[in-house]
Amino acid sequence: MKFSTRAEYGLKAMTNLAKSFPEKKSLFLISKEEGISAKYLEQLMATLKKNKLIRSYKGKNGGYVLFKKPDLTKVGEIVEILEGSIAPMKCDQHQCPICRCSSRIVWDKLGKQIRKTLYGIKLSELI
């Protein structure tokens, strides 16, 4: 299983915001500090805002801030919002065309362990 840059850069941006919580931070500054394209970061931030992980403020003193404290935000939330389901195979998503697939138990167990790991890590632990 391989995650895309959406998860990688989204976690970087969220960790950056966690470090300055509860202060606001501009998209430009996050982009510069994390080495992420501002245009790409803007797309990620829109998704995170839509899903209530961050808030945005407009104007001269605007910027982004975490919606809740870093110790209340789980890495799994961020990854699933940016990547979609964490399931390693369709079988784990219960979309397998052959519901009695002999390998389904492997993908179910793997998916549960991945979720358990990601949801067991708080954003505050990445600071």
Side-chain angles (χ1 to χ4, degrees):
M1 173 168 210
K2 187 173 181 178
F3 293 108
S4 74
T5 56
R6 290 181 61 79
E8 178 186 357
Y9 293 169
L11 279 174
K12 282 183 172 185
M14 291 291 286
T15 302
N16 191 299
L17 288 174
K19 289 176 184 174
S20 62
F21 185 80
E23 301 297 320
K24 290 178 268 186
K25 203 158 195 185
S26 75
L27 181 92
F28 175 77
L29 188 56
I30 298 167
S31 169
K32 184 179 174 185
E33 289 176 354
E34 299 299 333
I36 303 169
S37 154
K39 193 169 190 168
Y40 189 44
L41 184 58
E42 190 172 23
Q43 293 171 15
L44 298 176
M45 297 302 248
T47 301
L48 294 168
K49 179 184 172 193
K50 178 182 169 189
N51 287 277
K52 298 188 188 294
L53 287 184
I54 60 172
R55 292 180 188 174
S56 68
Y57 296 89
K58 294 183 181 186
K60 183 180 175 186
N61 296 317
Y64 292 90
V65 67
L66 295 179
F67 195 82
K68 53 190 176 185
K69 294 178 182 179
D71 61 334
L72 298 176
T73 303
K74 308 283 185 170
V75 168
E77 289 178 85
I78 300 164
V79 172
E80 280 200 304
I81 283 168
L82 294 172
E83 293 283 352
S85 175
I86 297 174
M89 298 292 279
K90 287 183 182 180
C91 294
D92 189 41
Q93 297 172 341
H94 306 291
Q95 297 174 2
C96 186
I98 307 167
C99 292
R100 295 183 191 117
C101 173
S102 60
S103 63
R104 182 176 179 172
I105 192 167
V106 173
W107 310 124
D108 282 343
K109 285 185 178 188
L110 181 59
K112 286 176 185 171
Q113 287 302 314
I114 293 170
R115 274 187 220 89
K116 182 180 176 183
T117 299
L118 292 177
Y119 277 89
I121 303 169
K122 297 174 187 172
L123 189 57
S124 58
E125 294 174 53
L126 304 181
I127 299 173

